[in-house]
Amino acid sequence: MSRSTISVPDLRLLLLAVLGLLLAGCGPTKVVVEGNFPSPLIEPLPMKLGIWYPETFSGHEFFDEAKTRSDSSWIVQTGAAQVAMWDTLLEGMFVETIHMKGEPGPEQMNQLVDAVLIPEVDELQYAIPAHTNVKVYEIWMRYRFKLVTSGGEPIGDWTMTAYGKTPTAFLQSDQAAVNLAAVMALRDAGANFATNFTRVPQVQVFLDERGIVPLESGL
Amino acid sequence: MRAVPRLLRLATVLLAGLSTAACVTSTVDEMVFNEPVEGIGDSTVVILGRRHAADYETEPDFIQCVGDHISSRDRSITVIGELEFVNSLYPWFEPRTAPLHPQNIDRLLLQEPVAERMAELKTEYMIWIDGKTERSDSMGSMTCGIGPGGAGCFGFGTWSDDSDYEAVIWDFTDRAEVGRVNTTASGQSYMPAVVVPIPIIAPVQGTACDGIGDQLLEFLSSEY
């Protein structure tokens, strides 16, 4: 009759694996935002726009620590979706867009463009039914945009808000609903930017100086 | 031992009674400003949900249901899918930018790419649906257990659903509102559980969908 035995190192490994699994079970709820973003149906502005995404933007994530033991912590990673949405939007809004090789500045050798747009997520907040007792998932974002020359000299600086929500009715999990709310917020950000970019006073001055005439847009 | 068959018989009677009770009451109001002359021919129609309210959203599945109802009753009508339309005209039909009045379409069509896309889509009617289905008056309780002999539930739950939707019909060619259809529906659903929970659902949203769909067919179809 054979008898199997577990050695002490094996037992230690087993305990570590169990502990790892237990800790993984207690980890934060993670959402990597994913979505498809349509190109804007808009007359492109006749200018060459440079784009520079700071690392805080292209790798943007939001962490919310659980307040109580029954709550779950949340990590919402929006960076990849932000880049996908803004690339699609800006490519449709301007006759030419170019990604900068480095952050615009006096010492930086960069491609020649009319202006460089630098977006940043100033703030992100979310609400799920567990927080609000309302059957709606919401994402609210505030962006800060800087428009600078390729040498880094400021042209304009302004903020813009975006909001997305989704009801619980047609989705299964909290993660899927938060993802869809984030996609809606990104679409809203794109719509807000596309319809209001030429109305930003500093941008208007810049376009006037360059003789760039935008078509009538917005409702 | 005779208690079990008696309990089952009682449950069967209860279920039979409740299945007839889970009914829906519905009303449909219609206001027509310009009588439709004939169907939309080879033009298309798009049905869109209003999403700009703070506390609710018109459900995408309700919009889909109304579209399916129309195209299944008259197969000659082409209903453009909501997401397809909104994506192909991005960003002009997002909650923040969608036109709230038919007169806004003129300003939208000032943009050449938008005018071209609209011409491609051949949209004759644009129908906006605003409203929601809400659950209220939930009552009852149910307990479920698991043991060596098996698992089961016992109890009773009931709730009511209320639908309230309004469809506003824009004639895209004339850029004018030509009619409004309002539908309300309410119904009581039940969930008795004797070992197994058996939901008896009142099809409130489906009834509202059929009501609004039938009225819209009068605008869109030459057969109604």
Side-chain angles (χ1 to χ4, degrees):
Chain A
M1 195 170 134
S2 70
R3 229 168 112 182
S4 64
T5 55
I6 299 175
S7 64
V8 173
D10 284 348
L11 192 65
R12 214 178 293 152
L13 272 175
L14 188 70
L15 281 171
L16 273 173
V18 170
L19 188 67
L21 278 173
L22 284 171
L23 286 173
C26 300
T29 310
K30 187 173 167 184
V31 177
V32 181
V33 177
E34 284 175 3
N36 292 318
F37 303 99
S39 292
L41 190 67
I42 202 163
E43 195 73 51
L45 269 174
M47 66 178 272
K48 198 190 272 188
L49 183 84
I51 306 165
W52 174 252
Y53 296 130
E55 222 174 283
T56 49
F57 182 82
S58 56
H60 179 264
E61 70 173 33
F62 171 74
F63 177 68
D64 186 35
E65 200 170 353
K67 307 285 182 297
T68 62
R69 286 187 70 180
S70 58
D71 284 347
S72 163
S73 295
W74 280 80
I75 295 176
V76 182
Q77 292 183 338
T78 74
Q82 296 275 6
V83 169
M85 195 286 286
W86 286 101
D87 273 353
T88 309
L89 184 88
L90 297 171
E91 277 161 22
M93 271 185 74
F94 299 91
V95 288
E96 197 174 347
T97 52
I98 293 172
H99 285 273
M100 295 285 100
K101 287 177 180 158
E103 186 172 3
E107 305 300 319
Q108 182 65 44
M109 290 293 286
N110 252 326
Q111 304 95 315
L112 199 62
V113 290
D114 293 313
V116 182
L117 185 76
I118 306 172
E120 278 179 52
V121 179
D122 229 15
E123 201 179 341
L124 185 148
Q125 290 177 6
Y126 77 95
I128 59 170
H131 296 169
T132 59
N133 291 326
V134 182
K135 276 191 170 183
V136 175
Y137 294 81
E138 297 171 289
I139 296 264
W140 178 88
M141 282 191 278
R142 187 172 61 222
Y143 286 91
R144 176 168 291 279
F145 295 101
K146 286 181 196 153
L147 196 66
V148 299
T149 65
S150 52
E153 288 162 34
I155 298 170
D157 186 332
W158 71 100
T159 58
M160 186 195 88
T161 56
Y163 172 77
K165 67 172 177 179
T166 184
T168 55
F170 61 105
L171 284 163
Q172 303 283 318
S173 66
D174 276 358
Q175 286 97 321
V178 166
N179 183 72
L180 189 58
V183 170
M184 296 309 288
L186 284 168
R187 285 179 70 117
D188 184 55
N192 195 354
F193 187 86
T195 52
N196 290 313
F197 175 69
T198 56
R199 293 175 182 170
V200 175
Q202 296 136 312
V203 174
Q204 269 179 345
V205 171
F206 167 77
L207 294 175
D208 284 347
E209 281 171 3
R210 294 255 166 175
I212 300 165
V213 184
L215 286 172
E216 174 65 30
S217 65
L219 292 171
Chain B
M1 286 296 280
R2 289 190 59 80
V4 174
R6 196 176 296 159
L7 194 65
L8 280 175
R9 214 163 32 227
L10 190 72
T12 311
V13 170
L14 186 69
L15 286 177
L18 287 173
S19 63
T20 55
C23 59
V24 179
T25 55
S26 164
T27 57
V28 180
D29 292 320
E30 185 193 37
M31 270 194 292
V32 180
F33 307 125
N34 289 346
E35 279 289 350
V37 181
E38 52 190 21
I40 59 167
D42 65 347
S43 302
T44 62
V45 60
V46 63
I47 304 168
L48 300 162
R50 283 286 183 204
R51 306 268 148 66
H52 61 276
D55 56 339
Y56 70 91
E57 285 199 332
T58 306
E59 302 92 339
D61 57 350
F62 183 78
I63 304 298
Q64 173 87 43
C65 173
V66 175
D68 290 348
H69 183 91
I70 290 166
S71 51
S72 65
R73 298 293 163 97
D74 186 339
R75 297 201 177 273
S76 68
I77 297 174
T78 306
V79 181
I80 304 173
E82 186 183 28
L83 190 62
E84 179 195 342
F85 183 85
V86 171
N87 278 349
S88 71
L89 283 148
Y90 182 79
W92 305 109
F93 285 85
E94 295 298 296
R96 126 180 350 251
T97 52
L100 294 172
H101 307 284
Q103 294 78 12
N104 292 142
I105 292 170
D106 282 331
R107 292 185 65 188
L108 196 57
L109 293 179
L110 279 177
Q111 301 196 55
E112 209 173 307
V114 178
E116 280 172 13
R117 185 63 52 85
M118 284 294 202
E120 275 170 34
L121 293 170
K122 294 196 289 185
T123 308
E124 172 77 17
Y125 283 109
M126 186 176 283
I127 297 164
W128 289 98
I129 298 182
D130 193 3
K132 63 183 184 300
T133 297
E134 264 186 320
R135 182 156 294 180
S136 59
D137 301 334
S138 302
M139 282 186 294
S141 66
M142 195 173 296
T143 49
C144 295
I146 187 161
C153 296
F154 189 81
F156 182 78
T158 175
W159 66 90
S160 62
D161 287 315
D162 299 297
S163 289
D164 188 358
Y165 294 97
E166 183 173 61
V168 181
I169 305 144
W170 291 0
D171 185 326
F172 204 75
T173 315
D174 297 334
R175 282 141 211 182
E177 186 179 320
V178 293
R180 269 171 194 257
V181 179
N182 183 275
T183 183
T184 56
S186 58
Q188 193 87 20
S189 298
Y190 304 93
M191 176 99 86
V194 181
V195 183
V196 179
I198 300 165
I200 301 159
I201 310 288
V204 175
Q205 200 180 46
T207 306
C209 166
D210 292 346
I212 222 159
D214 284 343
Q215 294 298 309
L216 291 177
L217 274 166
E218 291 183 14
F219 281 89
L220 307 171
S221 175
S222 54
E223 296 165 19
Y224 282 78

